[in-house]
Amino acid sequence: MIALSAGTLALSRKAIVATQDLLADKVETLPLEHDSLELFAINVLNIIPALDRSRSELKLWPDGGIRKITQYAFSQETIKDAAIFKLPEFITTYTFVTDVFRERVLQHNLTGFRFIELWDSEANPAAKEMQRQRYLERLAEIERTKGPEYSFAEVTERMSKENKAAVSGKQKLQLDENDSLLIGDLMEDTLTYAWMDPIYIPPIFLDMKWHLVEKEPELKLGRQK
């Protein structure tokens, strides 16, 4: 089970055509205005109560509502025919997709997607927990070794001047050879970054604090195995 980044999805005409049989009546598409690209906002209509609360790790509000999910588990039967959906608990935020959607994206070499693996129905629980600990240790190391912190505007300027990358938690920024900004997301299962060429900068990035780190020598867009 995979989640896309929070927020409204924006797909190109190419992506719409490539995935139209998977999206079908599960979403509605709304044209967006853009200077050079034909883009469509995607409103996901497929709301599925697929979260297995008994096997998920949840942080709750005092009234019993879910504040945060630290470990996801899903009902395999509920999502078996779903390619894209949302959970009723987080209807305004995350969009979830299954492997069939991700494989279609890779098959057609679509870029700009950032997939975050949340659950593997075949994963060994002990191995999963061990990998989770490695991931948390990596995040702790990033926090422990950070230098001076900068705003998003400040750090992007320094990245260009000092030929550096920047990190904030699991997020990483790096400029490519054309000085275009790429966004990396630290993957829990591989401890490598999945890179994307964003259409827009996530607004939350503007409020985050960043510190400079060394650049990665070679970047590949999409999830790295």
Side-chain angles (χ1 to χ4, degrees):
M1 176 55 54
I2 299 168
L4 295 170
S5 296
T8 301
L9 295 179
L11 299 185
S12 66
R13 169 69 69 178
K14 177 182 177 182
I16 292 289
V17 171
T19 60
Q20 59 184 348
D21 60 313
L22 301 179
L23 300 179
D25 59 347
K26 308 301 182 185
V27 307
E28 64 176 347
T29 58
L30 305 170
L32 296 173
E33 292 186 5
H34 193 280
D35 293 338
S36 59
L37 300 175
E38 188 178 12
L39 298 174
F40 299 85
I42 303 302
N43 179 31
V44 178
L45 304 175
N46 193 28
I47 313 300
I48 302 178
L51 186 68
D52 186 336
R53 295 193 176 211
S54 66
R55 294 189 295 126
S56 299
E57 294 181 11
L58 310 175
K59 292 185 178 180
L60 304 178
W61 295 108
D63 63 0
I66 297 177
R67 178 169 62 88
K68 184 178 181 181
I69 303 176
T70 56
Q71 186 69 48
Y72 285 81
F74 294 88
S75 167
Q76 184 69 41
E77 183 65 23
T78 304
I79 65 171
K80 66 179 182 179
D81 297 321
I84 185 169
F85 65 95
K86 285 195 170 187
L87 294 174
E89 293 89 350
F90 295 99
I91 198 169
T92 61
T93 53
Y94 289 109
T95 298
F96 299 85
V97 298
T98 55
D99 284 341
V100 65
F101 184 91
R102 176 181 175 273
E103 289 167 4
R104 185 69 61 85
V105 167
L106 298 179
Q107 177 187 350
H108 289 270
N109 296 314
L110 302 176
T111 60
F113 288 85
R114 181 168 55 158
F115 296 106
I116 303 171
E117 186 175 46
L118 298 178
W119 179 67
D120 183 349
S121 61
E122 300 178 355
N124 179 295
K128 187 77 173 178
E129 179 59 26
M130 185 177 296
Q131 186 63 23
R132 174 70 175 172
Q133 291 304 314
R134 294 193 187 102
Y135 176 73
L136 294 176
E137 289 170 5
R138 177 70 176 275
L139 291 177
E141 181 184 6
I142 292 173
E143 182 70 17
R144 190 168 55 246
T145 59
K146 69 182 181 183
E149 293 185 302
Y150 306 98
S151 68
F152 181 83
E154 292 170 330
V155 85
T156 49
E157 182 177 354
R158 286 178 174 270
M159 285 166 57
S160 179
K161 290 181 178 179
E162 301 179 31
N163 193 33
K164 297 281 189 178
V167 169
S168 181
K170 67 175 185 175
Q171 310 292 345
K172 190 169 186 176
L173 307 175
Q174 186 161 317
L175 301 175
D176 66 12
E177 63 274 11
N178 299 315
D179 279 341
S180 295
L181 185 68
L182 302 179
I183 296 176
D185 192 90
L186 185 64
M187 296 290 97
E188 181 173 331
D189 57 342
T190 63
L191 300 184
T192 61
Y193 287 93
W195 292 93
M196 65 176 290
D197 183 3
I199 296 175
Y200 64 92
I201 302 300
I204 192 173
F205 280 21
L206 305 181
D207 296 324
M208 293 165 62
K209 292 297 184 181
W210 304 83
H211 62 276
L212 295 173
V213 295
E214 295 300 321
K215 296 177 68 172
E216 295 195 19
E218 294 184 12
L219 301 184
K220 294 182 180 179
L221 296 183
R223 186 176 173 80
Q224 299 178 14
K225 292 292 188 182

